[in-house]
Amino acid sequence: MTEISGGPFVIATILKVLVFFTLLILSIALGTYVERRLAAFIQDRSGPNRVGPIGLLQVAADGLKNLLKEETWPSAAYKGFFLLAPAMALIPGTILFAVIPFASPAPTRWGYVDMIVADVPIGVLYILAIASLGVYGVVMAGWSSGSKYAFLGGLRGSAQMVSYEVGLSLSLVPVLMLAGDVRVPEIVTLQQHYPGDATTLGVWLVAPLLVGTFLFYLTGLAETNRLPFDLPEAEAELVGGYHTEYSSMKFAAFMMGEYGHLITTAMLVTVFFFGGWDIPFWSGDNIRVTADGSLIGEPAWWKTLLTLLAFMVKAGLVFATFIWVRWTLPRFRYDQLMDLGWKFIIEFVTVYIVVIAVAIYVLDRAGLEFGPAYAAALLGVNVILAVLVFFLFDRGRLIRGAGREAEREARRRMLDARRQVRQQALARALGEEAALAATADDSSEEGE
Amino acid sequence: MIEFFFFLFAAMAVLSAIFMVTQVNPVASVLYLVVTFFSLSGLFVILDAHFIAAVQIIVYAGAIMVLFLFVIMLLNLGSTQPSDLRRGLGRVLAGSVAVALVAIFARLLMAGGDVEGLGGSSALDPLLESSGAVAAVAEPLFTRYLVAFEITSILLVVAIVGAVVLARRRAP
């Protein structure tokens, strides 16, 4: 079967964009609802359950509320940029999905339709490029609001996103080394079956790249400004962070951008480490589209729907863990966050890349193909590395509560300040005594 | 189709570059420059240079321009800036250089300047087919030009260390 082309291709692409974009927007709406319900569950409350069946229409009510609210224009704001910022926050989060494969290809009368909006030859690089633009919305919002709190939030947010972007990009390098290609569908294929034999059951990259999965997940949380890394918002310190001054739909655009980013990150974790649309323990969905457009395997509509369901379930579970983490871990302090990003994650990722590269080189030299033994060997390396880092080196040195030095410094300063105050008080007291003595002398002299 | 997109991106690149220079607000200038980079990236895609297109956005739009924006905001240069070209001589010089450039380009166009590979068939095709968009760049970079590549990276490290040393000297 050949790939769809010509007029039907254009129609199929437009349909794909419409369907997947609608699905994304719907899942953003549903995401806010799921987040509130899960948060309520974790905190032993009910959560939104009044509007519609089990509160499902809460999202529509919220949307209506946001639409009808008054738009405020802070007098100190730079008008044009103030209006531009929500759009710049919303767009990167909602166009990343273009290179993510959602399901197995579907057969039609005109040829098969690949279930990915754009199978570009630089898939992963496109993801990194668009993800790096997310910072504009935060910076612009913080600066253009003309408010101190918003500005602080914007600065914090952009510094954090720029810092963790490095770790995020680097943590994908081991995946690319194993896949040998930056096309996203190739990475899914690698996890579906071992190269060479399409009937085998592949291994999801979470096993051979256990530590890489953890690092990508961690930096993904930081990139999306989620707890425990939600310093840009930090409602206790900054009122609301970079979107403090925003109201009604402009505020809603920030929220949609944030959830879009979050859902996309969940999808990326799924695609890179949990097999994408692969259905576990079933080789019937091993359908591969190569770079030149030829199809290997037997596509079918029911397979497309099943794999789409599998993808959504997996991405949904990853999304649920984001919420779980949010209500489990406390927020990092700002210096701890920066220390973790610059002094631990970047170094660790670099070492990890070198270790995995050496392991891959050795295994290739030993004449092994990517297969069960290969994956097991890599898993062994990962476990050893993880144990070494988290149990052996971690004696309060490498992954300390990262601000220990800052704490010591602050304590020292406080003691210094106290000592100074004491000395000044003493000096003043002595000085007064001396002055008293002097006046006493004077008066005694006068008296004579 | 491809020609339409070429002229679209080319017009966007030139127009946003002009706006970038003429804006009085530095933040607006930065944003227009980002638009220019995006248009250039689109042009690279048309030329089948997908990797360069991605790198253009990752490095320039995603990193360097964010740094520019950062500096502008931290120094709070957001208000209007006086134009650099207030004196008469500067204007005359800039204008004549612009006219000369336009003349040179017009001459090239008159001489039958044709952009190779715009029609879709390019010498790159077999290479892209065999090794993919990234490997086509990576392979020469890590084999034939390895020394130059390593020297460049050492240069960057020196620059980073130098910046840190200079910044630290001020501290008590």
Side-chain angles (χ1 to χ4, degrees):
Chain A
M1 192 176 256
T2 54
E3 190 171 9
I4 196 165
S5 59
F9 168 77
V10 174
I11 294 169
T13 304
I14 291 172
L15 275 179
K16 270 190 291 189
V17 172
L18 285 179
V19 168
F20 290 139
F21 192 70
T22 314
L23 273 181
L24 183 75
I25 296 293
L26 273 181
S27 44
I28 287 174
L30 208 65
T32 59
Y33 169 76
V34 168
E35 161 122 47
R36 292 172 69 181
R37 284 298 288 223
L38 264 180
F41 171 71
I42 289 171
Q43 297 169 345
D44 205 10
R45 309 182 271 121
S46 300
N49 63 356
R50 294 288 128 183
V51 194
I54 59 165
L56 266 172
L57 290 179
Q58 181 69 42
V59 183
D62 284 349
L64 195 68
K65 184 189 83 171
N66 274 323
L67 269 175
L68 295 177
K69 269 196 165 178
E70 183 193 351
E71 294 227 11
T72 51
W73 292 92
S75 52
Y78 297 89
K79 288 275 152 52
F81 303 114
F82 188 70
L83 192 61
L84 197 62
M88 290 173 96
L90 179 61
I91 290 170
T94 44
I95 60 173
L96 263 179
F97 78 103
V99 295
I100 296 175
F102 289 89
S104 65
T108 61
R109 208 156 4 123
W110 304 276
Y112 73 86
V113 181
D114 203 1
M115 281 298 152
I116 172 173
V117 173
D119 184 7
V120 289
I122 45 155
V124 175
L125 293 177
Y126 171 87
I127 292 171
L128 296 181
I130 301 300
S132 70
L133 298 176
V135 70
Y136 279 102
V138 176
V139 180
M140 293 297 297
W143 171 77
S144 68
S145 296
S147 141
K148 296 271 188 312
Y149 287 123
F151 188 60
L152 274 177
L155 279 185
R156 274 186 184 188
S158 42
Q160 172 181 337
M161 287 167 94
V162 169
S163 310
Y164 278 82
E165 220 172 79
V166 186
L168 184 84
S169 317
L170 287 178
S171 64
L172 281 181
V173 172
V175 177
L176 301 182
M177 285 195 293
L178 275 182
D181 202 339
V182 290
R183 277 180 68 235
V184 185
E186 278 305 301
I187 294 165
V188 176
T189 304
L190 179 78
Q191 303 178 68
Q192 278 183 329
H193 58 80
Y194 295 115
D197 189 1
T199 54
T200 51
L201 285 172
V203 60
W204 291 354
L205 286 181
V206 62
L209 298 175
L210 190 65
V211 177
T213 312
F214 173 71
L215 288 171
F216 184 78
Y217 186 87
L218 195 73
T219 47
L221 274 182
E223 263 304 275
T224 48
N225 297 331
R226 288 284 294 188
L227 265 167
F229 305 110
D230 73 334
L231 271 298
E233 284 170 42
E235 69 275 4
E237 306 156 31
L238 293 176
V239 188
Y242 55 89
H243 47 55
T244 302
E245 301 294 335
Y246 283 88
S247 64
S248 79
M249 258 340 254
K250 294 206 287 298
F251 175 75
F254 278 113
M255 276 296 143
M256 281 169 70
E258 194 184 318
Y259 277 91
H261 206 154
L262 200 61
I263 286 167
T264 316
T265 308
M267 293 199 286
L268 291 180
V269 172
T270 309
V271 164
F272 289 133
F273 299 105
F274 291 93
W277 45 264
D278 179 42
I279 297 173
F281 309 115
W282 187 47
S283 60
D285 63 342
N286 289 351
I287 303 161
R288 179 186 180 196
V289 179
T290 55
D292 52 10
S294 56
L295 186 81
I296 303 162
E298 291 157 22
W301 270 102
W302 58 273
K303 281 182 187 172
T304 302
L305 291 178
L306 266 183
T307 48
L308 180 64
L309 187 71
F311 180 77
M312 282 159 79
V313 167
K314 281 191 243 180
L317 285 176
V318 176
F319 181 74
T321 64
F322 285 155
I323 298 165
W324 189 7
V325 166
R326 174 174 181 180
W327 299 112
T328 308
L329 296 176
R331 182 181 296 142
F332 275 70
R333 216 172 50 211
Y334 192 68
D335 55 324
Q336 293 174 330
L337 175 90
M338 281 294 148
D339 278 4
L340 182 71
W342 285 106
K343 296 187 187 164
F344 174 65
I345 286 182
I346 291 178
E347 282 84 348
F348 186 35
V349 170
T350 316
V351 170
Y352 184 63
I353 290 173
V354 173
V355 168
I356 292 295
V358 169
I360 289 175
Y361 180 73
V362 168
L363 288 169
D364 282 349
R365 264 309 175 82
L368 274 174
E369 274 254 314
F370 187 70
Y374 199 107
L378 279 182
L379 178 64
V381 169
N382 269 278
V383 170
I384 291 171
L385 197 65
V387 169
L388 272 180
V389 167
F390 292 107
F391 292 99
L392 206 66
F393 294 147
D394 182 25
R395 292 279 183 265
R397 283 184 298 147
L398 206 61
I399 323 172
R400 60 174 167 250
R404 191 170 284 188
E405 266 157 36
E407 251 164 45
R408 216 175 281 149
E409 173 74 21
R411 197 174 152 70
R412 201 174 55 76
R413 261 198 219 137
M414 191 188 71
L415 289 178
D416 274 359
R418 256 193 218 162
R419 197 181 307 132
Q420 230 167 5
V421 169
R422 229 174 332 177
Q423 278 170 351
Q424 276 170 359
L426 195 67
R428 212 181 305 129
L430 284 175
E432 275 167 16
E433 229 165 71
L436 270 179
T439 47
D441 282 356
D442 285 353
S443 54
S444 62
E445 269 169 26
E446 272 165 25
E448 274 181 359
Chain B
M1 192 73 169
I2 276 185
E3 281 196 342
F4 167 74
F5 279 113
F6 171 77
F7 284 114
L8 178 74
F9 285 128
M12 264 170 65
V14 172
L15 279 181
S16 52
I18 290 173
F19 283 135
M20 192 274 275
V21 179
T22 52
Q23 286 296 316
V24 279
N25 190 330
V27 175
S29 291
V30 165
L31 292 184
Y32 275 118
L33 193 54
V34 172
V35 177
T36 310
F37 286 138
F38 264 89
S39 318
L40 290 183
S41 164
L43 290 177
F44 280 128
V45 169
I46 290 175
L47 291 170
D48 268 351
H50 294 102
F51 179 72
I52 307 292
V55 168
Q56 179 90 11
I57 292 185
I58 294 176
V59 174
Y60 285 107
I64 292 180
M65 293 326 287
V66 173
L67 187 71
F68 276 33
L69 210 56
F70 237 76
V71 172
I72 289 171
M73 288 175 181
L74 276 181
L75 299 180
N76 206 11
L77 303 173
S79 48
T80 51
Q81 290 286 302
S83 169
D84 292 331
L85 290 176
R86 267 177 302 178
R87 281 164 299 155
L89 186 64
R91 288 203 174 192
V92 170
L93 264 178
S96 45
V97 168
V99 169
L101 265 179
V102 169
I104 290 170
F105 284 132
R107 231 191 98 142
L108 282 177
L109 192 69
M110 290 301 176
D114 212 3
V115 183
E116 249 178 75
L118 197 61
S121 66
S122 68
L124 278 177
D125 274 353
L127 180 67
L128 290 179
E129 199 82 347
S130 64
S131 52
V134 178
V137 177
E139 198 144 354
L141 200 61
F142 287 108
T143 51
R144 266 184 74 185
Y145 305 108
L146 181 66
V147 177
F149 177 77
E150 293 295 344
I151 288 175
T152 314
S153 55
I154 289 173
L155 185 70
L156 287 176
V157 171
V158 169
I160 294 171
V161 172
V164 172
V165 168
L166 284 179
R168 282 231 129 174
R169 194 179 286 166
R170 299 268 165 77

